[in-house]
């Protein structure tokens, strides 16, 4: 968390190897990022952003990205991403429209989550994915991401919802390109520092 320009997106870009000229070390399971091939990194991590591109194709094809997967894996990704209700209502062969014009913002985000799950991504990077959604849908999408098992989620969020923030294992507060605080929601509130100020202003 942190204000605009504090370095949140830059941090995610570093984790995606977009800036190979960094100083210091970035490690995944004790392996330096520079030693991981781009293909292995791509297989290991996925990014969910605010704007999700959706093809004018079926819901199923948009989830699988036109690749073949075992049916049970597709069904698992649909269930875990919260797409079951949409599939039941419209069917897997429903055409999504040009850039997903036939879907809501929340439904497009869930398709993005399902794609990542189908890829078996172990690291999920989420860059303010719910910023353009209404409060209820944003909460549902965030809860779906937080509820994923076996996945490390690194989430940039503007949503200062106490119920969601308490679900995170840790919160890092950024300011002017540096991490100024780190801890659980309760720990940071008790410290009454920078995070506490941001949270109280938003209430």
């Amino acid at each position: 968390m942190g204000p605009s320009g504090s370095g949140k997106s830059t941090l995610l870009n570093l984790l995606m190897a977009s800036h190979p000229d960094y100083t210091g070390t970035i490690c995944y399971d004790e392996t330096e990022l520079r030693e991981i091939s781009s293909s292995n990194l791509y297989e290991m991590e996925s990014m969910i952003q605010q704007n999700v591109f959706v093809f004018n194709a079926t819901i199923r094809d948009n989830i699988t990205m036109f690749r073949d997967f075992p049916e049970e894996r597709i069904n698992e990704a649909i269930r875990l991403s919260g797409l079951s209700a949409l599939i039941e209502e419209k069917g897997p062969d429903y055409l999504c429209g040009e850039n997903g014009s036939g879907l809501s913002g929340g439904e497009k985000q869930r398709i993005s989550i399902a794609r990542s799950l189908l890829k078996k991504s172990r690291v999920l990077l989420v860059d303010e994915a719910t910023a353009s959604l209404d409060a209820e849908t944003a909460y549902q999408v965030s809860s779906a991401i937080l509820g994923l098992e076996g996945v490390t989620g690194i989430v940039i969020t503007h949503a200062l919802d106490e119920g969601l923030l308490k679900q995170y294992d840790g919160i890092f507060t950024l300011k002017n390109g540096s991490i100024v605080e780190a801890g659980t929601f309760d720990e940071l509130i008790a410290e009454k520092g920078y995070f506490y100020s941001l949270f109280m202003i938003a209430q």
Side-chain angles (χ1 to χ4, degrees):
M1 305 195 70
S4 297
S6 61
K8 302 186 300 296
S9 293
T10 300
L11 183 57
L12 288 199
N13 287 331
L14 283 165
L15 294 175
M16 292 186 70
S18 299
H19 302 297
D21 57 342
Y22 61 85
T23 57
T25 57
I26 300 173
C27 293
Y28 282 93
D29 287 342
E30 299 181 8
T31 300
E32 163 59 40
L33 181 60
R34 292 188 181 96
E35 297 173 10
I36 303 173
S37 69
S38 55
S39 59
N40 283 342
L41 188 65
Y42 173 75
E43 285 301 315
M44 183 174 64
E45 65 182 18
S46 292
M47 170 81 91
I48 297 178
Q49 297 173 297
Q50 196 176 138
N51 298 313
V52 179
F53 186 80
V54 176
F55 298 94
N56 185 17
T58 66
I59 297 174
R60 183 190 177 92
D61 285 341
N62 270 290
I63 293 170
T64 63
M65 298 292 280
F66 307 96
R67 292 181 293 171
D68 291 324
F69 291 96
E71 198 65 29
E72 61 270 18
R73 274 185 63 184
I74 296 173
N75 291 335
E76 181 186 34
I78 287 169
R79 179 179 61 81
L80 292 173
S81 61
L83 279 171
S84 298
L86 176 66
I87 297 289
E88 287 171 14
E89 179 191 347
K90 296 183 175 178
D93 296 325
Y94 173 77
L95 287 174
C96 298
E98 196 66 40
N99 199 16
S101 59
L103 301 173
S104 69
E107 289 164 348
K108 289 195 281 187
Q109 291 294 1
R110 289 190 179 95
I111 283 176
S112 184
I113 295 170
R115 287 173 182 168
S116 301
L117 293 172
L118 205 49
K119 223 176 84 176
K120 292 288 185 184
S121 300
R122 289 181 287 155
V123 178
L124 194 58
L125 307 176
V126 185
D127 191 357
E128 301 217 44
T130 62
S132 60
L133 306 178
D134 64 83
E136 182 180 353
T137 305
Y139 190 94
Q140 291 171 353
V141 170
S142 296
S143 294
I145 292 168
L146 284 162
L148 298 175
E149 294 181 4
V151 176
T152 297
I154 301 174
V155 181
I156 293 176
T157 181
H158 68 290
L160 290 162
D161 183 284
E162 182 174 345
L164 288 174
L165 292 172
K166 282 188 170 183
Q167 294 182 54
Y168 288 98
D169 297 310
I171 298 169
F172 297 89
T173 311
L174 276 73
K175 185 179 182 182
N176 298 326
S178 297
I179 294 173
V180 293
E181 287 176 323
T184 65
F185 175 82
D186 289 335
E187 288 168 349
L188 294 181
I189 289 295
E191 284 179 18
K192 294 195 173 180
Y194 187 53
F195 173 83
Y196 176 83
S197 299
L198 293 175
F199 180 76
M200 296 306 293
I201 288 170
Q203 302 312 301

